[in-house]
Amino acid sequence: MTDFRIGELRVDGADTEARNHSSEEDNEDWIKPLIHQSQGAKEFAYCPYSKFRVGAALLAHDGTVFTGCNVENASYNLGLCAERTAIAKAVSGGYRSFKAIAIASDLEDQFISPCGGCRQFMREFGDHWSVYLSKPDGSYKEMTIEDLLPVSFGPEDLKKKRLFTTKNGS
């Protein structure tokens, strides 16, 4: 059963693995409400320039959901995507590990897909969590961060042994 709470959004039943459900019905017990929350989040989008609304709902392992919408800026590159807004809200609340994110837009003929910057931003927090690309009718496509950003660079790569050289050989 799914439980929504205003303020502290939660999706009960989400503490099971996203990709290991016993049936499609179990899967939809928390995926459909997560997608619904992403659709609701897009209603708050601030997009006076592109008129392209995007919403995201980010699911933490304990069932807490963080929503985000895109926020544009007259200085275009200072805008924020919905995915990054939701992740920043979660991180500022002490969360660092995520189970899934649902992304919604007004595109009717195709699933919304995160931009390259958002893919890298999501990758910072792992490459095996689920991403649900959706349409306004509630249909969705499941992918992982690894599917969206193959052969990616992440925090663990910074720990690998490196060889440093300079022009003078020192």
Side-chain angles (χ1 to χ4, degrees), residues 3-11 37 62-67:
D3 173 40
F4 292 119
R5 295 182 202 153
I6 304 302
E8 180 188 291
L9 298 174
R10 297 186 62 77
V11 177
Q37 286 183 340
D62 68 357
T64 303
V65 176
F66 297 89
T67 59

Side-chain angles (χ1 to χ4, degrees), residues 60-76:
H61 287 284
D62 68 357
T64 303
V65 176
F66 297 89
T67 59
C69 63
N70 55 320
V71 181
E72 294 181 347
N73 189 285
S75 177
Y76 295 136

